[in-house]
Amino acid sequence: MRDTPGQTDTARSDDASAGFEITDDFERFSQRNDVFSRALWDGRVRSRHTDGFFASYRMESAPRRADGFTQKDFALRNAAWLISDIVTNRNAAQGRREGFQAPISDDTPVAPDQVAIDDPAAMSAEIKRISGFFGADLCGITDLDERWLYADRVDTRDMSAAETGLPEGLTGVIVLGHQMDRDLVDTYPSALAGAATGREYSHEAAVVMQLAAYIRNLGYRAVASMNDTGLVIPYAIKAGLGEYARNQLVITPEYGPRLRFSKIFTDLPLAHDAPRLRGVRAFCDICTKCADACPPGALPYGPPETGGANISAIRGVRKWTSDAEKCFGFWAKTSTDCAICMRVCPFNRDFARRRHRIWLRLALSPLRRVALWLDRGRGKRVKPAAWWGRSAR
Ligand code: SF4
Ligand code: SF4
């Protein structure tokens, strides 16, 4: 393996334990090439459907009569996004869509006096407790492996490449997990289900900004980040929160794949967590439920590979990679996000329940085929009208 920009000995030694396989042609990912950015500059992705997709988040495109796509469904989804939108739009005039295409600006200064930290392990435990106080469902901590930072961010005034703007000298990444509402996820695909996504983006914006402010008040730097600045999935895996799966999501022992992740880049002295591989890869090797259920056929069959169908795939990482153009094309046609591959995944369960914890032990054991067989018939779509009926009771 060739040295890559910023790659440290620690990062290299962590790769095997995190299940990462990096090849010689590795390149840091340019955020201009993510499919959401490309929908605004690349004629191979942009269409009347993608324009309609973005307009629907402003209630500007006509809702349909189909169950799950009525004005009420879009109204709830868009209201759920509101806090995230406020954060994202506040510096948009400077080309910074914060939380998506730029890190979130500090709302508070770094305190001039620094709290002494003698025990980084105790500080990590405290940060996890405070993250729960603010509303995060999971918290893990890892080193700032620069390979997973974007090579550049997007200036959204003209969609050109710009510096990510992350300060030098930050050493750690605090990764936060935010559980999505299970009943709403069961209604994918629908605009209604998108309320589960929007609500967690709004939650995570608040949580990540509050936790970052707490760290700055202790006298250390802390940059709050959502989808911007770097790829959160490798940081979540390195921080021990879960394992990478065929549906391109992180499967966690607490919530399966039903999570969103945010992060904080910091120089607060913290002990780091270790990756935990429990056997999700082996389960995905015998399961194709997400690929079978994907309407545009965007998810791969077979073992992990390097490369991908188009420039929206990172180069030089052997992994399961979706065809992002096909995936987003489906989102655009339905005017909402899709997570069918999350809904149908056998790990999409309530692990607070004993019988699901027993299933999880089976799924991560050599008896995984029994666990897959036991999953037959699960993961069916709940009609959005039924969700509204339930909520009206
Ligand atoms: S989000 Fe939907 S379209 Fe995209 S990969 Fe998953 S199932 Fe397929
Ligand atoms: S549906 Fe099956 S193959 Fe897809 S991520 Fe879940 S366990 Fe893995």
Side-chain angles (χ1 to χ4, degrees):
M1 182 172 55
R2 181 188 67 182
D3 274 6
T4 50
Q7 187 176 348
T8 63
D9 290 343
T10 308
R12 262 194 292 272
S13 67
D14 276 356
D15 280 347
S17 58
F20 298 164
E21 197 181 335
I22 314 297
T23 56
D24 283 347
D25 58 343
F26 176 84
E27 276 178 20
R28 275 163 60 177
F29 188 68
S30 163
Q31 202 185 7
R32 271 191 96 240
N33 290 338
D34 84 30
V35 78
F36 302 101
S37 299
R38 288 178 64 206
L40 297 171
W41 68 262
D42 188 341
R44 289 168 291 183
V45 176
R46 188 169 188 174
S47 68
R48 69 183 168 83
H49 292 303
T50 58
D51 291 350
F53 170 85
F54 292 120
S56 80
Y57 284 83
R58 302 185 293 268
M59 300 302 292
E60 286 171 4
S61 62
R64 299 188 291 280
R65 298 168 86 132
D67 183 25
F69 296 89
T70 65
Q71 183 161 353
K72 219 160 93 169
D73 297 303
F74 282 99
L76 184 68
R77 183 197 68 178
N78 295 357
W81 273 92
L82 180 65
I83 304 303
S84 171
D85 289 343
I86 289 170
V87 171
T88 297
N89 291 336
R90 61 187 182 159
N91 289 317
Q94 286 84 50
R96 298 172 53 84
R97 284 191 71 248
E98 296 189 358
F100 288 87
Q101 278 136 334
I104 298 174
S105 298
D106 291 2
D107 291 281
T108 53
V110 177
D113 294 327
Q114 207 169 58
V115 167
I117 308 229
D118 304 323
D119 183 347
M123 194 66 223
S124 288
E126 185 175 301
I127 285 294
K128 290 178 184 180
R129 191 156 65 87
I130 302 294
S131 75
F133 164 73
F134 282 127
D137 294 303
L138 294 178
C139 179
I141 300 168
T142 185
D143 62 290
L144 203 168
D145 182 338
E146 294 190 11
R147 292 173 300 176
W148 311 121
L149 295 177
Y150 292 136
D152 47 53
R153 70 169 182 89
V154 182
D155 182 326
T156 51
R157 287 170 296 195
D158 59 3
M159 301 308 290
S160 61
E163 296 278 322
T164 59
L166 197 64
E168 293 290 319
L170 304 182
T171 50
V173 186
I174 301 166
V175 186
L176 305 174
H178 311 272
Q179 182 194 182
M180 291 169 68
D181 183 87
R182 186 147 185 269
D183 290 340
L184 280 175
V185 167
D186 284 346
T187 71
Y188 273 110
S190 66
L192 172 68
T197 305
R199 191 189 72 171
E200 280 342 293
Y201 274 117
S202 286
H203 277 173
E204 72 180 75
V207 173
V208 82
M209 290 167 75
Q210 288 169 311
L211 186 59
Y214 171 68
I215 294 169
R216 289 194 296 272
N217 291 344
L218 297 178
Y220 296 87
R221 291 179 295 166
V223 178
S225 170
M226 292 164 50
N227 287 8
D228 56 275
T229 310
L231 298 161
V232 77
I233 284 179
Y235 290 122
I237 295 168
K238 279 171 59 98
L241 296 183
E243 295 165 70
Y244 190 73
R246 185 186 298 279
N247 58 6
Q248 296 211 125
L249 300 169
V250 176
I251 306 265
T252 66
E254 293 85 358
Y255 308 105
R258 215 177 51 261
L259 282 169
R260 311 216 71 84
F261 292 99
S262 61
K263 55 199 180 295
I264 296 172
F265 301 101
T266 186
D267 57 5
L268 183 71
L270 294 168
H272 296 167
D273 295 297
R276 288 183 301 169
L277 301 185
R278 296 158 172 248
V280 168
R281 160 72 202 266
F283 193 94
C284 288
D285 280 341
I286 61 158
C287 173
T288 56
K289 286 194 167 191
C290 52
D292 296 339
C294 174
L299 288 172
Y301 291 90
E305 292 178 348
T306 55
N310 49 63
I311 59 169
S312 290
I314 190 169
R315 285 170 63 101
V317 182
R318 190 178 307 282
K319 68 183 189 70
W320 284 301
T321 301
S322 75
D323 182 329
E325 290 182 11
K326 284 187 182 172
C327 173
F328 188 60
F330 181 71
W331 293 30
K333 280 188 190 134
T334 54
S335 296
T336 195
D337 63 314
C338 165
I340 296 171
C341 47
M342 177 187 285
R343 188 195 88 216
V344 302
C345 179
F347 289 95
N348 177 20
R349 291 167 182 260
D350 178 3
F351 291 114
R353 294 196 180 174
R354 188 162 171 269
R355 68 190 167 95
H356 292 308
R357 289 200 300 276
I358 293 170
W359 180 89
L360 182 64
R361 278 210 296 276
L362 202 60
L364 301 179
S365 79
L367 294 175
R368 59 187 74 89
R369 284 189 189 279
V370 177
L372 183 58
W373 181 79
L374 288 172
D375 193 70
R376 70 199 185 288
R378 286 184 72 260
K380 291 200 168 68
R381 181 181 190 246
V382 171
K383 288 185 176 161
W387 185 88
W388 283 108
R390 261 209 306 276
S391 68
R393 278 204 294 271

